[in-house]
């Protein structure tokens, strides 16, 4: 697969189970160009909700994302 992963954040108060307004986290994206391991560099984010968004630009395959976070 080829495409882009980006991190988004939201502080919406979800009325229907999930937030509806999302903002891209600046400099928290990575271009995917085939099989392998890719990483988004650690960023400081102060938000209640985070999600990954994948935009496919070609090919097919399985994409797996893992997230490690800390709360202070």
């Amino acid at each position: 697969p080829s495409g882009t992963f980006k991190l988004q954040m939201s502080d919406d108060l979800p009325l229907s189970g999930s937030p509806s307004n999302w903002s891209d986290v600046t400099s928290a994206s990575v271009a995917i160009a085939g099989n392998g391991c890719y990483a988004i560099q650690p960023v400081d984010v102060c938000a209640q909700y985070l999600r990954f968004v994948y935009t496919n630009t070609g090919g097919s395959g399985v994409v797996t994302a893992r997230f490690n976070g800390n709360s202070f």
Side-chain angles (χ1 to χ4, degrees):
S2 61
T4 304
F5 260 114
K6 65 182 175 182
L7 184 64
Q8 291 185 329
M9 65 182 187
S10 178
D11 274 324
D12 279 358
L13 295 174
L15 300 176
S16 63
S18 62
S20 57
N21 296 306
W22 294 92
S23 299
D24 293 348
V25 176
T26 304
S27 69
S29 65
V30 64
I32 307 298
N35 294 337
C37 295
Y38 297 87
I40 293 176
Q41 295 301 313
V43 293
D44 291 328
V45 177
C46 183
Q48 191 170 7
Y49 301 97
L50 297 172
R51 73 178 181 184
F52 283 109
V53 175
Y54 177 72
T55 304
N56 186 36
T57 58
S60 63
V62 176
V63 177
T64 302
R66 293 193 176 138
F67 175 82
N68 290 320
N70 291 317
S71 175
F72 297 102

